[in-house]
Amino acid sequence: MLSLPHMKKYALLLCFISLIMGCKNTKQTENAVIDTVMDNILTRTSVRAYTDRAVPDEMIETMLRAGMAAPSAMNRQPWEFVVVKDREVLDSLAGRLKYAKMLVQAPLAIVVCAQKTFTLNSTGETVVNNFWVDDASAATENILLAAHALGLGAVWTAASDAERAGAVREVLGIPSEIAPLCVIPIGFPGENPEPKDKWKPEKIHHDRW
């Protein structure tokens, strides 16, 4: 029997095939796709416990492809990703990052970074990348959603402040022109936390504050 994540993927595949083949009930098919996508977004949770099962390389590539599909300012795509599977490196990061201790269990981490500067093609001038946090954050969310769709558990642990960025930079040998944003521990879930209902209409403002 297919697991829930695989059933979601199978349902999406059937929907897309129906669209391609010109399904007569196009509206119903479109609604099914929307429901599947929204369910993946609304049921994503932060998972901090993992089994010792290794994450297949094809799943890692899927998550990285999702990350690189994110929007970025002027489409500069400043992100850089460090894929960490080495047990000693994961344990070293866990020892240096007080809010990422779950790395001692995780078989995988993806460290999301970005270029702090870029060179203008027109003049060759090097300028500050003021939106690297925005761009790397968009990539991070895509990775988290892809992980959930694949049946994996993941959690965003910050690494952008001076102390944690310094630790990550030292452990991984990240060059000075690259800024770490976060470390994402990833693995097959060892826990199943309930999704939180975060819908708060009172936080919505129309036309003006």
Side-chain angles (χ1 to χ4, degrees), residues 13 38 52 102 122 159:
L13 179 61
M38 287 302 298
D52 58 2
M102 69 289 292
S122 55

Side-chain angles (χ1 to χ4, degrees), residues 13-23:
L13 179 61
L14 289 178
C15 289
F16 283 126
I17 290 174
S18 297
L19 284 173
I20 292 170
M21 297 183 67
C23 176

